[in-house]
Amino acid sequence: MGHTDQIIPLNWYLVLSTFLFCIGVMGVLFRRNAIIMLMCIEIMLNAVNLLLVSFSAYSGNSDGQVFVFFIMVVAAAEVAVGLALMMSIYRNIGSTDIDVLNKLKW
Amino acid sequence: MSQLIFFILSAMTIASALVVVFSKHPMYSVLSLVVCFFTIAGHYILLNAQFLAITHIIVYAGAIMVLFLFVVMLLNLNRESEPHKPGKMKFAATISAGMLFLILIAAMKSTTMETFSFPPPSTNGMIQHVGQRLFTDYLLPFEISSILFLSAMIGAVVLAKKEKH
């Protein structure tokens, strides 16, 4: 990225990560399979990670990268617990369809 | 050159993320999510954050995707068992996500970011620098995250365990 004509503007990363985040939001609204919804939450987390890394790289401050590291830690823990919950739900109701899980709805 | 790489990586990222959302078969969703994560790791390398790129591949493609694949295979999900939302809901979901995109882009357009115009050539993303920050300024959160991992591990084992009736 040394030459001036080859520099990637920060706005491109903004647009890319916004688009990825919106794809994740659309997936959560669009699908009924809870495992796919967990994947879409991962896409949203990755969009935010990409934005943090790009701001960190462009401002010359490595705090953002440390934050991304911690977000990865939390995402790994979240996926482990979430998939364990999915296993337990599938064992009890025999489906991963979230519309079947309406006992707490009023 | 780097702009060309950015466009190729971005197109692959967005295409694979769309396949995750629209694919009827859960296995295809998982596999295209792997592609999505690898292209995001490519973006990290492009942004000169080598440590995060490697960590991203190890954590996401190595650990999280194996968990997803394992669960999809264990539950034997396929196209027939895939629940479907009514078309009206899908239409509403697409419209509302598009509206969110427009609003976020409009909010970004009105901000000026002159201070971040040119990336300085830095060694911020190198493992030496990030490791130093992690073990000096961020030592306490680093240690607390190990407790988080321990509790998540115990929680996952307890939740996924077969209940005795």
Side-chain angles (χ1 to χ4, degrees):
Chain A
M1 285 197 282
H3 304 293
T4 324
D5 57 337
Q6 290 179 354
I7 280 173
I8 303 165
L10 179 58
N11 290 345
W12 294 5
Y13 281 107
L14 288 183
V15 172
L16 173 65
S17 51
T18 310
F19 200 68
L20 263 185
F21 187 84
C22 290
I23 289 173
V25 170
M26 184 170 74
V28 169
L29 296 173
F30 196 89
R31 300 298 293 260
R32 266 173 38 183
N33 191 342
I35 292 176
I36 311 279
M37 288 171 76
L38 270 179
M39 290 184 210
C40 293
I41 291 171
E42 290 302 311
I43 290 177
M44 286 197 268
L45 279 171
N46 272 291
V48 176
N49 278 355
L50 185 61
L51 195 61
L52 273 172
V53 172
S54 57
F55 270 120
S56 155
Y58 277 68
S59 65
N61 187 349
S62 64
D63 282 352
Q65 300 190 4
V66 178
F67 267 93
V68 170
F69 186 76
F70 286 123
I71 291 175
M72 280 179 189
V73 168
V74 173
E78 173 241 327
V79 163
V81 175
L83 287 176
L85 273 173
M86 284 328 300
M87 291 292 299
S88 174
I89 288 169
Y90 187 81
R91 199 175 289 135
N92 281 314
I93 67 171
S95 163
T96 52
D97 187 348
I98 52 149
D99 283 0
V100 179
L101 297 170
N102 52 6
K103 291 269 166 57
L104 284 179
K105 242 184 201 170
W106 56 280
Chain B
M1 186 63 191
S2 62
Q3 288 191 351
L4 185 68
I5 294 172
F6 175 84
F7 277 125
I8 292 170
L9 279 176
S10 305
M12 284 174 73
T13 310
I14 288 170
S16 53
L18 284 174
V19 171
V20 171
V21 173
F22 288 110
S23 168
K24 291 275 191 296
H25 203 294
M27 194 59 82
Y28 294 155
S29 296
V30 177
L31 292 178
S32 64
L33 194 57
V34 174
V35 176
C36 185
F37 286 159
F38 271 105
T39 53
I40 288 175
H43 278 296
Y44 288 168
I45 291 173
L46 207 58
L47 282 166
N48 218 4
Q50 281 89 345
F51 171 65
L52 273 183
I54 295 298
T55 317
H56 190 268
I57 288 176
I58 291 171
V59 171
Y60 278 98
I64 291 182
M65 294 327 295
V66 169
L67 266 180
F68 269 116
L69 270 178
F70 188 70
V71 168
V72 168
M73 286 177 175
L74 201 63
L75 302 188
N76 200 13
L77 298 176
N78 48 32
R79 193 193 293 264
E80 284 76 37
S81 66
E82 181 66 20
H84 285 293
K85 269 194 176 171
K88 216 190 324 180
M89 289 291 288
K90 288 184 174 175
F91 182 71
T94 313
I95 292 294
S96 45
M99 295 289 239
L100 179 67
F101 180 67
L102 280 182
I103 287 171
L104 286 175
I105 289 294
M108 280 170 193
K109 253 185 104 67
S110 60
T111 57
T112 53
M113 282 171 293
E114 286 143 1
T115 49
F116 298 135
S117 293
F118 297 107
S122 67
T123 57
N124 274 329
M126 298 296 172
I127 186 162
Q128 185 186 3
H129 195 92
V130 178
Q132 266 177 0
R133 295 303 303 271
L134 209 55
F135 283 105
T136 53
D137 298 342
Y138 293 95
L139 183 61
L140 183 63
F142 184 78
E143 297 291 342
I144 289 174
S145 65
S146 68
I147 299 173
L148 174 74
F149 262 133
L150 184 66
S151 53
M153 191 173 76
I154 295 170
V157 169
V158 168
L159 283 172
K161 201 178 60 177
K162 211 168 236 152
E163 288 173 34
K164 293 192 193 78
H165 290 294

